[in-house]
């Protein structure tokens, strides 16, 4: 039995977990076997259970049972399966398994004549060795291990797959010449399945990257460039490394002819790949995370934004747009790769279909929690976005105003002033009469964000109050949806919260009558927004509140508020009661 091992995983120990471990020590071999099977079922997809079992000492006992010749073959196989499942947990789990000397125990298991047991041991070894925390040198401690692994290659497709995965992850630590025979045999033999040859090709790319020895004698090109796409791309990577190393010339016919022939095809493949990722990540946060964590994936997507093919650029930005729906990715991957820079470059000169998707992505990058918002602001993006609002394309107008709306949210006063200056009051009010409801809604959203915090409200209303009040009047009088009118009334409520701006409402009896009308409307959302506006106008703690209260009482607002305190909607009745308290204070 193995000696004590250093455990790196700390977790809450549960009685259930201890019960699983205790069963491993039962004197009845059949009960031990059933205990291992039950443990296998318990740890599937349960990292907490895996950590508990490791802490409780399950690993040394499982390794002991695995190595005992007195253990049944079924028991030894099930032990290997459980150990493999434990290895699929956290990196701390892997460290604990390695510290318990799992690798020599599993390598010893490969001497068994039973194929199923060998496959279980290889599967576990594969999982351990592909972890970045496992020292790859442990595979080469015993010089007999590599020849034995090579002898197992032909046993089954699974042994081929597991062994090639082990080699491909441990290749950089291999002694010179120890794995090359397997590598070239696998690459040049059609009897190996695709996934096995793919792993061998990845090994070759490491070899080509690290040194040039033996590269002149390979037959990589002729064999691999007629294979499926992933293999072609990896083969192309190998060719690149070989060119850099001087093993082949850059004008070698094997490169020039193939790349010329397949350039259009490669564009189509990249376009399809980006579209697929965009579709997969559109509504699933876990998939978005997997996409961004795939090695070099973000770099590939970003480089796709500058592809010569418009279709590839469009597919790449569509993929970015899909990923940008994730708050986590906006805060991490998008920031780490400075995605906003190539995106801004793409927005400078692109066809409308690319502009629509790129500007839509930019809207997400301008949300308040995005670290990209500040550098985008500093890049002079406001003029670009204002120009989009003048487009003939309603989609571009929506995205332009939407991005400005996000930019204005909780923004500094200078940013808001710059937006109003650059957009211009004429264009702002032109957008407020846009036939596209989405444009109108986003423009109202922009106006609402501009008119937030009292100093900002007062400043903007002192400069543009007349035009804004006129626009609000027109919207409230016209045939618009409930959503549009609710947003408009919310803008009025913001104006009513200003120190000086509220007088623009108080001196406009026609507007006050409109607010009164919407307080009695059949739609609760409109009633709430209108009541909120009145509440702001009569708030006790502000100068002139008594005069405003008196005027509104004379206009019958107190009677309306009293009636609303009996409303069936609790939010509406609470809002009305809060307003009434201002009169009673």
């Amino acid at each position: 039995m193995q000696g004590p091992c250093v455990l790196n995983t700390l977790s809450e120990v549960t009685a259930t977990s201890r019960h699983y471990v205790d069963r491993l020590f039962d004197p009845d071999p059949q009960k031990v076997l059933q205990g291992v099977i039950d443990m296998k079922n318990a740890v599937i997809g349960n990292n907490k259970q895996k950590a508990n079992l490791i802490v409780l000492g399950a690993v040394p006992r499982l390794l002991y049972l695995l190595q005992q010749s007195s253990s049944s073959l079924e028991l030894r196989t099930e032990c290997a399966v459980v150990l493999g499942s434990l290895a699929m947990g956290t990196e701390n789990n892997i460290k604990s398994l390695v510290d318990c000397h799992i690798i020599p125990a599993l390598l010893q298991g490969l001497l068994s004549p039973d194929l199923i047991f060998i496959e279980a041991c290889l599967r576990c070894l594969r999982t351990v060795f592909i972890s970045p925390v496992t020292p790859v040198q442990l595979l080469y401690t015993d010089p007999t291990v590599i020849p034995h692994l090579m002898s197992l290659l032909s046993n089954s497709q699974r042994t081929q797959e597991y062994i090639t995965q082990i080699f491909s992850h441990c290749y950089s630590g291999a002694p010179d010449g120890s794995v090359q025979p397997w590598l070239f045999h696998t690459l040049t033999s059609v009897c190996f399945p695709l996934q096995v040859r793919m792993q061998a090709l990845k090994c070759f790319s490491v070899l080509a990257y690290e040194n040039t020895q033996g590269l002149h004698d390979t037959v990589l090109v002729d064999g691999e460039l007629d294979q499926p796409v992933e293999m072609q791309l990896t083969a192309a990577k190998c060719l690149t490394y070989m060119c850099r190393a001087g093993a082949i010339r850059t004008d070698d016919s094997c490169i020039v002819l193939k790349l010329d022939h397949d350039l259009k095809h490669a564009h189509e493949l990249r376009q399809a790949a980006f579209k697929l990722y965009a579709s997969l990540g559109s509504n699933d946060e876990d998939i978005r995370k997997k996409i961004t964590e795939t090695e070099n994936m973000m770099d590939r997507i970003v480089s796709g934004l500058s592809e010569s093919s418009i279709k590839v650029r469009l597919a790449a930005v569509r993929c970015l747009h899909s990923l940008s729906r994730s708050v986590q990715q906006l805060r991490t991957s998008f920031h780490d790769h400075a995605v906003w820079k190539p995106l801004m470059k793409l927005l400078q000169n692109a066809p409308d279909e690319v502009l629509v998707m790129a500007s839509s992505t930019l809207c997400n990058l301008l949300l308040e929690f995005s670290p990209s918002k500040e550098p985008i602001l500093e890049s002079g993006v406001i003029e670009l976005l204002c120009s989009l609002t003048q487009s003939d394309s309603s989609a571009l107008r929506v995205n332009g105003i939407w991005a400005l709306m996000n930019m204005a949210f909780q923004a500094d006063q200078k940013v808001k002033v710059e937006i109003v200056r650059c957009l211009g009051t004429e264009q702002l009010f032109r957008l407020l009469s846009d036939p596209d409801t989405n444009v109108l809604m986003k423009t109202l959203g922009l106006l609402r964000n501009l008119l937030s915090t009292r100093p900002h409200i007062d400043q903007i209303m002192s400069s543009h109050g007349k035009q804004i009040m006129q626009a609000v009047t027109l919207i409230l009088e016209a045939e618009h949806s409930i959503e549009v009118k609710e947003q408009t009334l919310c803008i009025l409520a913001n104006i009513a919260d200003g120190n000086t701006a509220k007088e623009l409402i108080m001196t406009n009896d026609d507007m006050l009558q409109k607010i009164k009308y919407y307080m009695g409307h059949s739609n609760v959302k409109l009633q709430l927004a209108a009541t909120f506006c009145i509440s702001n106008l009569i708030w006790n703690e502000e100068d002139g509140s008594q005069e405003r209260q008196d005027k509104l009482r004379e206009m019958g607002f107190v009677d309306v508020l009293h009636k609303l305190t009996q409303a069936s909607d609790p939010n509406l009745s609470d809002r009305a009661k809060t307003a009434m308290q201002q009169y009673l204070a």
Side-chain angles (χ1 to χ4, degrees):
M1 182 175 176
Q2 297 289 347
C5 56
V6 180
L7 297 174
N8 300 292
T9 305
L10 295 177
S11 181
E12 177 187 358
V13 178
T14 64
T16 305
S17 301
R18 183 168 296 282
H19 175 65
Y20 285 122
V21 177
D22 290 343
R23 291 172 70 187
L24 301 180
F25 294 88
D26 196 288
D28 185 342
Q30 198 58 38
K31 290 183 179 179
V32 173
L33 172 61
Q34 190 58 50
V36 174
I37 293 172
D38 291 344
M39 183 182 289
K40 175 182 69 175
N41 296 330
V43 298
I44 294 174
N46 190 333
N47 280 346
K48 184 176 180 181
Q49 185 71 274
K50 293 174 185 179
N52 287 344
L53 291 172
I54 291 173
V55 170
L56 287 167
V59 175
R61 184 60 180 174
L62 288 168
L63 288 172
Y64 173 78
L65 294 170
L66 180 141
Q67 295 176 89
Q68 290 302 299
S69 57
S70 58
S71 297
S72 68
L73 192 58
E74 185 180 4
L75 175 58
R76 296 172 71 195
T77 303
E78 292 293 347
C79 286
V81 171
V82 174
L83 289 165
S85 186
L86 294 177
M88 289 181 182
T90 65
E91 289 186 353
N92 279 337
N93 289 12
I94 295 285
K95 290 177 182 177
S96 298
L97 293 170
V98 172
D99 289 341
C100 289
H101 310 293
I102 189 174
I103 291 174
L106 291 171
L107 290 174
Q108 185 68 26
L110 299 182
L111 300 175
S112 167
D114 185 80
L115 179 59
I116 295 177
F117 178 58
I118 288 173
E119 289 178 347
C121 290
L122 283 172
R123 188 186 306 115
C124 186
L125 280 168
R126 181 273 313 269
T127 305
V128 171
F129 274 116
I130 65 175
S131 170
V133 301
T134 303
V136 296
Q137 294 81 5
L138 293 176
L139 185 64
Y140 305 107
T141 305
D142 183 345
T144 66
V145 168
I146 300 302
H148 184 62
L149 286 172
M150 289 183 180
S151 71
L152 295 174
L153 271 170
S154 59
N155 284 17
S156 72
Q157 184 171 331
R158 285 178 177 168
T159 61
Q160 291 172 354
E161 187 177 341
Y162 298 147
I163 292 170
T164 50
Q165 285 180 305
I166 292 169
F167 280 165
S168 66
H169 281 84
C170 301
Y171 190 76
S172 59
D176 288 345
S178 60
V179 184
Q180 278 90 329
W182 156 78
L183 179 61
F184 295 120
H185 172 61
T186 308
L187 281 174
T188 57
S189 174
V190 294
C191 65
F192 288 104
L194 174 62
Q195 60 266 40
V196 174
R197 299 176 70 199
M198 191 67 224
Q199 293 299 328
L201 193 55
K202 287 180 179 178
C203 284
F204 186 89
S205 70
V206 176
L207 172 66
Y209 183 79
E210 293 182 345
N211 59 77
T212 61
Q213 185 176 2
L215 292 182
H216 292 276
D217 300 324
T218 68
V219 289
L220 167 72
V221 178
D222 291 338
E224 302 311 328
L225 289 180
D226 292 324
Q227 298 298 323
V229 176
E230 187 182 4
M231 184 164 281
Q232 291 187 45
L233 292 174
T234 307
K237 183 193 293 186
C238 295
L239 289 171
T240 303
Y241 293 151
M242 291 168 74
C243 287
R244 288 176 184 171
I248 58 174
R249 289 160 52 96
T250 56
D251 59 353
D252 191 295
S253 60
C254 70
I255 300 176
V256 178
L257 292 176
K258 179 61 184 177
L259 296 183
D260 284 347
H261 178 72
D262 275 0
L263 186 59
K264 182 176 181 292
H265 184 52
H267 284 160
E268 291 172 352
L269 291 172
R270 279 195 288 277
Q271 178 192 353
F274 288 144
K275 280 185 176 179
L276 176 62
Y277 282 126
S279 177
L280 289 172
S282 59
N283 296 305
D284 193 306
E285 180 64 20
D286 289 336
I287 292 179
R288 291 188 198 116
K289 187 170 184 290
K290 287 178 182 177
I291 291 172
T292 55
E293 289 178 350
T294 300
E295 186 179 1
N296 299 324
M297 182 54 69
M298 285 300 293
D299 291 331
R300 289 175 186 152
I301 297 171
V302 169
S303 67
L305 299 179
S306 56
E307 278 276 0
S308 58
S309 165
I310 290 176
K311 290 183 177 180
V312 174
R313 294 205 301 272
L314 177 60
V317 76
R318 182 174 286 138
C319 187
L320 271 184
H321 179 254
S322 177
L323 297 175
S324 72
R325 293 174 177 172
S326 163
V327 175
Q328 181 65 25
Q329 299 312 320
L330 285 175
R331 286 175 170 167
T332 55
S333 301
F334 276 66
H335 180 59
D336 295 341
H337 292 82
V339 169
W340 68 271
K341 290 182 180 179
L343 193 63
M344 287 291 293
K345 186 177 179 181
L346 188 64
L347 282 163
Q348 303 299 326
N349 183 24
D352 276 6
E353 58 181 346
V354 175
L355 275 179
V356 168
M357 196 55 62
S359 56
S360 186
T361 306
L362 190 66
C363 289
N364 291 340
L365 267 67
L366 285 168
L367 290 166
E368 75 276 9
F369 46 75
S370 168
S372 302
K373 182 174 183 177
E374 282 306 313
I376 293 173
L377 276 172
E378 293 167 4
S379 72
V381 72
I382 294 178
E383 286 193 15
L384 171 66
L385 295 176
C386 290
S387 69
L388 291 181
T389 68
Q390 300 178 27
S391 171
D392 292 335
S393 162
S394 61
L396 283 177
R397 293 200 304 278
V398 167
N399 288 346
I401 204 71
W402 194 344
L404 289 170
M405 181 188 81
N406 288 348
M407 186 183 293
F409 182 74
Q410 296 183 350
D412 295 337
Q413 188 165 346
K414 68 174 186 177
V415 174
K416 293 182 177 181
V417 170
E418 179 62 16
I419 291 173
V420 174
R421 184 201 67 75
C422 190
L423 189 61
T425 51
E426 285 189 17
Q427 176 61 9
L428 179 62
F429 300 120
R430 192 178 297 119
L431 291 167
L432 286 172
S433 58
D434 197 286
D436 189 309
T437 302
N438 289 326
V439 175
L440 173 57
M441 281 294 289
K442 293 299 178 285
T443 307
L444 290 170
L446 168 63
L447 200 52
R448 187 175 176 183
N449 287 346
L450 290 171
L451 294 168
S452 62
T453 73
R454 287 176 180 172
H456 300 178
I457 294 169
D458 290 334
Q459 184 194 23
I460 291 174
M461 292 304 291
S462 67
S463 304
H464 309 288
K466 183 179 179 181
Q467 299 98 314
I468 290 174
M469 293 298 290
Q470 184 180 0
V472 167
T473 300
L474 290 173
I475 292 172
L476 291 178
E477 288 180 348
E479 292 293 327
H480 285 295
S481 67
I482 295 296
E483 288 74 23
V484 167
K485 294 200 172 186
E486 179 191 17
Q487 190 81 299
T488 307
L489 287 168
C490 286
I491 290 170
L492 266 183
N494 282 13
I495 295 171
D497 193 41
N499 289 320
T500 58
K502 56 168 50 83
E503 289 306 313
L504 288 166
I505 300 176
M506 288 302 303
T507 56
N508 186 334
D509 286 358
D510 179 58
M511 184 61 72
L512 289 172
Q513 290 295 344
K514 284 180 171 56
I515 295 171
K516 186 178 178 182
Y517 165 76
Y518 283 107
M519 288 175 72
H521 199 276
S522 59
N523 186 277
V524 173
K525 289 181 179 180
L526 299 184
Q527 288 180 290
L528 266 170
T531 305
F532 191 50
C533 183
I534 291 300
S535 184
N536 283 346
L537 289 174
I538 63 176
W539 203 255
N540 263 324
E541 299 171 4
E542 297 164 9
D543 293 341
S545 61
Q546 188 61 54
E547 291 81 358
R548 291 191 293 275
Q549 287 182 11
D550 291 344
K551 177 174 181 177
L552 294 175
R553 184 195 299 273
E554 290 173 7
M555 294 182 69
F557 277 91
V558 173
D559 294 335
V560 178
L561 285 172
H562 181 72
K563 184 179 179 181
L564 290 179
T565 60
Q566 310 300 316
S568 58
D569 183 87
N571 293 325
L572 180 56
S573 62
D574 287 347
R575 174 54 60 189
K577 288 173 185 175
T578 301
M580 284 293 291
Q581 286 171 4
Q582 304 308 306
Y583 278 99
L584 300 174

